[in-house]
Amino acid sequence: MRVPLHQPVLAGNQALADQNRARLRSHGLFCLNLISSPGAGKTTFLERWLPLVRRHLRAGVVEGDIATTLDAERIAACGVQAVQINTAGACHLDAQMVAGALDHLELGALDLLIIENVGNLVCPVEFDLGEHLRITLLSTPEGADKPDKYPAAFRRADAVILTKTDLLPHVPFDFDAFRASLQRLHAQAPIFPVAAPRGEGLERWTEWVLARRPSSSAAGCR
Amino acid sequence: MRVPLHQPVLAGNQALADQNRARLRSHGLFCLNLISSPGAGKTTFLERWLPLVRRHLRAGVVEGDIATTLDAERIAACGVQAVQINTAGACHLDAQMVAGALDHLELGALDLLIIENVGNLVCPVEFDLGEHLRITLLSTPEGADKPDKYPAAFRRADAVILTKTDLLPHVPFDFDAFRASLQRLHAQAPIFPVAAPRGEGLERWTEWVLARRPSSSAAGCR
């Protein structure tokens, strides 16, 4: 019963995502969609990365959560524009929710829009939001077998951020097995190991994002 | 577009779940449904718990994963009956999938059936599988704010297992905030802190399960 409906929903989402991308492009915005399990450290990563990336780009954040405004409050405390989407139980963001959030941002005052998706390594993968790059985060305590077990989240990623590398001495995470697992998926994504609370790995990541961002005249091309 | 379909699907699932529960009851089986984020440690928990609980009950496991048979292989190595369900992309187990898995188990040779759901703190919550108790696991690296952010997974739990407590010296997990967060949800679930690799917390958990299991004449009553 579920499959026949799935396609129309996704087709409708795709049209809205393309509209979002065109709207962002018209304002010269570059957009990242961050996907991970609950508790992989997306918000902590942003709290540490935003002060660095703001030296180069004017950044805003859309926070996706099932409930609470906890994350948007943490992000707003970084001094950037932040909008919270509460999905009211839905397990992912979709392009329509993001379109509504864009209405609450001063787009002309931004260069970079970061969307923090609902914590879920499965469902958000199916929904294009209008982003230019899709970033999957995995935390070391989750284990190196996750690309094998949640293949779509990694196969479709433009980059993979491995968070909580400060815990590597305390958790059984096999980095070589992790890399081999990504290779089995033919994933092209580069891996960025990061220990956000220590600031480790953030500069290399920032350079990569800046290099991937189109010049302003071509901003928004995917 | 999605909501109108949701109810018929859930209604169909509920009828099948009730059939599963009746079938399990007819064999005197007691059934647990384990729900958590990816990488919260469900399989490691089972690897350590199964040798203990097998002193009291004959246990079997149904493993739910989007892809791979990795977890069922780990569980089968513990010497128990194990069946793998691959959901082919679906983000949760449903009662029909479990009904199919039951056909592959020798139910008359079991007292306890443990279902390890797909790693996802959102979608599996909606689907009764025919279990008698629903158990939500949270790992300490995920953070104490998760009951606030994923309320349904905790509000509907019969028990909460807090895994990876051996990492407490290394992660910013506030146990009092976690307990307060559960209280805000009016969650009745007792909390079982566990460090599975060290075997810590497993005996208290085993006693609780054994006490909740009905006597064989009433097995399966919910």
Side-chain angles (χ1 to χ4, degrees):
Chain A
M1 289 182 69
R2 302 181 71 237
V3 174
L5 190 77
H6 203 46
Q7 290 310 320
V9 167
L10 286 180
N13 184 76
Q14 189 59 55
L16 283 168
D18 291 338
Q19 287 178 26
N20 286 347
R21 204 158 14 245
R23 183 174 175 189
L24 293 168
R25 182 190 301 133
S26 73
H27 288 92
L29 258 85
F30 188 55
C31 179
L32 311 180
N33 177 6
L34 271 48
I35 293 174
S36 82
S37 303
K42 293 186 294 301
T43 312
T44 299
F45 168 78
L46 288 178
E47 286 177 318
R48 303 302 170 127
W49 184 45
L50 285 167
L52 287 179
V53 74
R54 286 178 69 197
R55 297 176 194 165
H56 309 277
L57 303 171
R58 298 168 299 169
V61 176
V62 173
E63 283 290 337
D65 275 301
I66 291 172
T68 81
T69 57
L70 292 171
D71 285 354
E73 288 164 21
R74 287 170 62 183
I75 294 301
C78 301
V80 304
Q81 289 191 55
V83 176
Q84 180 81 49
I85 299 174
N86 275 168
T87 65
C91 51
H92 59 272
L93 293 180
D94 63 30
Q96 187 164 26
M97 296 177 198
V98 171
L102 295 184
D103 294 337
H104 296 277
L105 290 167
E106 192 186 346
L107 298 179
L110 295 176
D111 306 305
L112 175 69
L113 183 68
I114 304 160
I115 304 172
E116 184 182 334
N117 220 309
V118 175
N120 184 330
L121 208 46
V122 188
C123 314
V125 178
E126 301 291 325
F127 292 82
D128 186 357
L129 304 179
E131 73 269 17
H132 302 106
L133 295 177
R134 181 175 292 195
I135 315 300
T136 295
L137 294 87
L138 181 76
S139 61
T140 58
E142 293 176 75
D145 60 349
K146 291 303 166 291
D148 282 324
K149 295 180 65 180
Y150 301 85
F154 293 89
R155 191 184 289 122
R156 301 186 192 178
D158 294 299
V160 172
I161 298 177
L162 180 66
T163 61
K164 307 192 188 182
T165 56
D166 51 310
L167 292 179
L168 280 173
H170 311 293
V171 298
F173 187 90
D174 182 334
F175 189 82
D176 290 335
F178 175 59
R179 190 157 43 194
S181 177
L182 286 172
Q183 286 170 345
R184 273 194 296 279
L185 296 174
H186 304 287
Q188 302 296 315
I191 305 170
F192 295 90
V194 161
R198 298 179 182 173
E200 290 173 9
L202 294 175
E203 297 216 353
R204 180 174 161 249
W205 161 250
T206 306
E207 288 167 12
W208 185 83
V209 170
L210 293 175
R212 290 297 301 267
R213 180 175 173 259
S215 63
S216 59
S217 62
C221 297
R222 187 168 184 170
Chain B
M1 291 180 69
R2 303 182 72 237
V3 174
L5 190 75
H6 203 46
Q7 289 311 320
V9 166
L10 286 180
N13 184 77
Q14 189 60 54
L16 282 169
D18 291 338
Q19 287 178 25
N20 287 346
R21 202 155 19 243
R23 183 174 174 189
L24 293 169
R25 182 190 303 133
S26 73
H27 288 93
L29 259 85
F30 188 55
C31 179
L32 311 180
N33 177 6
L34 270 50
I35 293 175
S36 82
S37 303
K42 292 186 294 301
T43 313
T44 299
F45 168 77
L46 287 179
E47 286 177 318
R48 303 301 172 128
W49 185 45
L50 285 168
L52 287 180
V53 74
R54 285 179 70 197
R55 296 176 195 165
H56 309 277
L57 302 172
R58 297 169 298 169
V61 176
V62 173
E63 284 290 336
D65 276 301
I66 290 170
T68 81
T69 57
L70 291 172
D71 285 355
E73 289 163 21
R74 287 171 62 183
I75 294 302
C78 300
V80 305
Q81 289 191 55
V83 176
Q84 180 81 50
I85 299 173
N86 275 168
T87 65
C91 51
H92 59 273
L93 293 181
D94 64 29
Q96 186 163 28
M97 296 179 199
V98 170
L102 295 184
D103 294 336
H104 294 278
L105 289 167
E106 191 185 348
L107 298 179
L110 295 176
D111 305 306
L112 175 68
L113 183 68
I114 305 159
I115 303 172
E116 183 181 334
N117 220 309
V118 175
N120 185 329
L121 209 47
V122 189
C123 314
V125 178
E126 300 293 325
F127 291 82
D128 186 356
L129 305 180
E131 72 270 15
H132 304 106
L133 295 178
R134 180 175 293 195
I135 315 299
T136 295
L137 293 88
L138 181 76
S139 62
T140 58
E142 293 175 74
D145 60 349
K146 292 302 166 291
D148 281 325
K149 296 180 65 180
Y150 301 85
F154 293 89
R155 191 184 289 123
R156 301 187 192 178
D158 295 298
V160 173
I161 299 177
L162 180 66
T163 62
K164 307 190 188 184
T165 56
D166 50 310
L167 293 178
L168 281 172
H170 311 292
V171 299
F173 188 92
D174 182 333
F175 190 82
D176 290 336
F178 175 60
R179 191 158 40 195
S181 177
L182 286 173
Q183 286 170 345
R184 274 193 296 279
L185 296 175
H186 302 288
Q188 301 296 316
I191 305 171
F192 294 91
V194 161
R198 297 178 182 173
E200 290 173 9
L202 294 176
E203 296 216 353
R204 181 175 160 247
W205 161 249
T206 306
E207 287 166 13
W208 186 83
V209 171
L210 292 175
R212 290 298 301 269
R213 180 174 174 260
S215 62
S216 59
S217 62
C221 296
R222 187 168 185 169

